[in-house]
């Protein structure tokens, strides 16, 4: 079995065409992209990546360059679970979250890409192969957009083939959120899937009040109403708010998800493959959700995550994220009448424009 012989890390700053905003991260004019290229003794290459909202990418880059190679190089490439545990426990005392687990996520993604390429299979079939077509929504990062621009953005997404939309909430006054959600519902019509994302803005009491105010507008879910640490509060919101709740993009481990799910604090568990430890724990989280009869959704990295949800019988919606990489990909995600289509290329199918990325190296 071939062994890993090299790790090449990349660190880039991607300027956004429009400054994005949400309730807690503020304005985001750019995002950081950290990439990994693993090569084995046969010369095959696997690619992985993670990203930030604009800070901490340098820390991820340092971990990838300095701390992980000695735990990875020389290991048998197909022993992904073994490598995952080796890196996890090797970094655990100073890590267990933050930049460390983001770095590990990129490594794990690259290992799965390498394995699927070696077997000549698309990643989604290697992971189980449920259904290549995954319901998909456009995830707007649009809290500060004036209402007319919000509706124009929505129309642009509809024209691209999306048949579900997510908007941001968490403005200074709840009444402002209510009016924006009301306008979106009227614009989209009854029954059209509409989600709202608060990005951890509220306390439990505030979130329950907001959820009850949004009830007339038939939201598919209210996302991240609280900080990820308030498991008891999140369970209160599920019980008392009257809306389904999506959460998990800021959880970093399988065990975090176990605590939230077991407490009844989430309706749609929402892991992000770039920050939960990679493909290996993402699939464990999805199966954990299935055991609780919960639908799993996703956050970010839609070009890879489409494979993961395509392997899950309990998948719900894939998020097409606002931090898109289309300008640097040979073949961006395909959207057809509300469905994202997992590609049939070997591996995850992402081919970066490395020359283009060189021009924005951080």
């Amino acid at each position: 079995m071939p062994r890993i012989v090299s790790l090449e890390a990349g660190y880039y700053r991607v300027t956004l065409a429009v400054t994005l905003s949400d309730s807690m991260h503020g304005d985001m004019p750019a995002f950081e992209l950290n990439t990994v290229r693993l090569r084995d003794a046969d010369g095959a290459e696997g690619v992985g990546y993670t990203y930030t909202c604009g800070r901490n990418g340098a820390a991820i880059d340092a971990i990838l360059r300095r701390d992980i190679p000695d735990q990875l190089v020389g290991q048998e490439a197909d022993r992904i679970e073994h490598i995952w545990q080796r890196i996890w426990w090797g970094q655990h005392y100073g890590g267990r979250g933050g930049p460390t687990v983001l770095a590990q996520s990129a490594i794990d993604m690259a290992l799965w890409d390498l394995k699927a390429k070696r077997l000549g299979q698309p990643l989604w079939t290697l992971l189980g192969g449920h259904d290549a077509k995954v319901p998909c929504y456009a995830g707007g990062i649009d809290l500060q957009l004036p209402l007319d621009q919000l509706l124009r953005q929505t129309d642009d997404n509809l024209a691209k083939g999306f048949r579900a939309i997510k908007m941001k909430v968490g403005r200074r006054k709840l009444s402002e959120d209510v009016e924006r959600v009301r306008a979106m519902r009227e614009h989209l019509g009854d029954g059209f899937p509409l989600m709202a994302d608060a990005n951890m803005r509220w306390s439990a009491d505030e979130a329950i009040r907001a959820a009850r105010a949004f009830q007339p507008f038939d939201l598919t879910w209210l996302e991240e109403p609280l900080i990820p640490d308030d498991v008891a509060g999140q369970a209160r919101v599920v019980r008392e708010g009257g809306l389904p709740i999506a959460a998990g993009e800021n959880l970093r481990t399988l065990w975090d998800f176990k605590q939230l799910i077991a407490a009844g604090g989430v309706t749609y568990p929402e892991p992000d493959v770039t920050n939960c430890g990679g493909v290996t724990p993402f699939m464990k989280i999805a199966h954990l959700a299935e055991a609780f009869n919960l639908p799993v959704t996703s956050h970010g990295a839609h070009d890879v995550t489409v494979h993961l949800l395509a392997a899950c019988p309990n998948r719900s919606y894939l998020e097409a994220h606002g931090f898109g990489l289309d300008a640097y990909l040979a073949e961006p995600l395909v959207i057809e009448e509300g469905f994202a289509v997992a590609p049939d290329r070997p591996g995850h199918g992402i081919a970066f424009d490395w020359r283009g990325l060189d021009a924005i190296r951080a």
Side-chain angles (χ1 to χ4, degrees):
M1 184 179 297
R3 295 178 182 269
I4 300 296
V5 297
S6 69
L7 183 165
E8 179 181 343
Y11 173 32
Y12 311 96
R13 186 170 180 84
V14 184
T15 301
L16 293 161
V18 176
T19 296
L20 304 179
S21 59
D22 69 27
S23 65
M24 296 304 288
H25 298 101
D27 289 343
M28 292 168 277
F31 68 97
E32 296 172 303
L33 173 69
N34 293 87
T35 62
V36 166
R37 302 171 78 176
L38 299 182
R39 297 181 182 92
D40 67 17
D42 290 341
E45 180 179 274
V47 174
Y49 76 89
T50 187
Y51 68 94
T52 79
C53 293
R55 296 181 179 88
N56 293 328
I60 297 168
D61 186 60
I63 292 166
L64 289 170
R65 293 178 186 275
R66 299 189 318 200
D67 297 333
I68 288 181
D70 68 331
Q71 298 176 298
L72 178 68
V73 173
Q75 297 297 308
E76 295 179 0
D78 277 357
R79 294 187 61 192
I80 298 176
E81 185 71 51
H82 169 75
I83 292 171
W84 195 95
Q85 296 291 335
R86 179 181 173 87
I87 292 173
W88 178 259
W89 290 108
Q91 305 292 323
H92 189 271
Y93 188 81
R96 200 185 173 277
T100 303
V101 76
L102 272 71
Q104 180 161 8
S105 299
I107 294 289
D108 189 75
M109 186 190 297
L111 288 168
W112 278 102
D113 182 43
L114 183 60
K115 181 171 185 174
K117 286 176 178 173
R118 183 178 297 112
L119 295 173
Q121 295 184 39
L123 181 57
W124 73 275
T125 61
L126 178 61
L127 294 173
H130 175 63
D131 188 347
K133 296 182 70 175
V134 180
C136 184
Y137 71 85
I141 307 178
D142 47 32
L143 184 67
Q144 300 304 333
L145 283 186
L147 182 57
D148 60 337
Q149 292 183 30
L150 176 64
L151 298 181
R152 282 202 300 273
Q153 173 185 271
T154 298
D155 288 338
D156 289 344
N157 284 324
L158 295 176
K160 293 174 184 176
F162 290 102
R163 297 296 178 264
I165 300 289
K166 188 175 80 179
M167 63 181 293
K168 296 296 186 183
V169 293
R171 291 170 72 93
R172 188 172 61 87
K173 295 180 179 179
L174 177 57
S175 60
E176 295 175 354
D177 284 329
V178 171
E179 287 310 306
R180 287 165 70 86
V181 173
R182 185 195 312 278
M184 281 286 279
R185 172 51 69 208
E186 291 174 352
H187 190 71
L188 293 170
D190 292 342
F192 190 99
L194 174 63
M195 300 84 159
D197 184 355
N199 288 106
M200 308 173 288
R201 176 67 172 175
W202 300 310
S203 68
D205 288 334
E206 291 169 332
I208 291 166
R209 180 169 172 250
R212 290 173 177 173
F214 297 149
Q215 280 184 19
F217 309 116
D218 188 28
L219 295 181
T220 302
W221 68 58
L222 175 61
E223 185 171 328
E224 270 206 314
L226 310 183
I227 58 172
D229 316 272
D230 189 0
V231 174
Q234 192 97 348
R236 277 192 61 211
V237 177
V238 172
R239 288 195 309 268
E240 301 174 31
L243 288 179
I245 299 298
E249 70 183 68
N250 282 287
L251 300 182
R252 296 294 181 258
T253 73
L254 170 66
W255 305 285
D256 290 339
F257 277 91
K258 180 255 186 184
Q259 297 292 339
L260 185 62
I261 291 172
V266 64
T267 318
Y268 289 85
E270 183 191 9
D272 183 326
V273 68
T274 69
N275 69 28
C276 73
V279 174
T280 299
F282 185 105
M283 296 306 296
K284 293 178 181 179
I285 292 161
H287 297 322
L288 174 67
E290 184 181 7
F292 279 81
N293 199 30
L294 294 176
V296 66
T297 182
S298 66
H299 176 262
H302 48 257
D303 304 284
V304 174
T305 312
V306 64
H307 287 273
L308 313 190
L309 293 187
C312 295
N314 60 320
R315 91 286 188 270
S316 59
Y317 286 96
L318 171 76
E319 176 180 40
H321 199 250
F323 291 172
L325 293 168
D326 289 7
Y328 300 99
L329 298 181
E331 298 182 68
L333 182 69
V334 173
I335 306 294
E336 296 179 351
E337 291 298 316
F339 290 87
V341 183
D344 58 7
R345 301 183 294 276
H348 52 49
I350 293 176
F352 279 113
D353 172 10
W354 297 110
R355 282 190 181 178
L357 285 173
D358 275 342
I360 57 168
R361 192 176 291 274

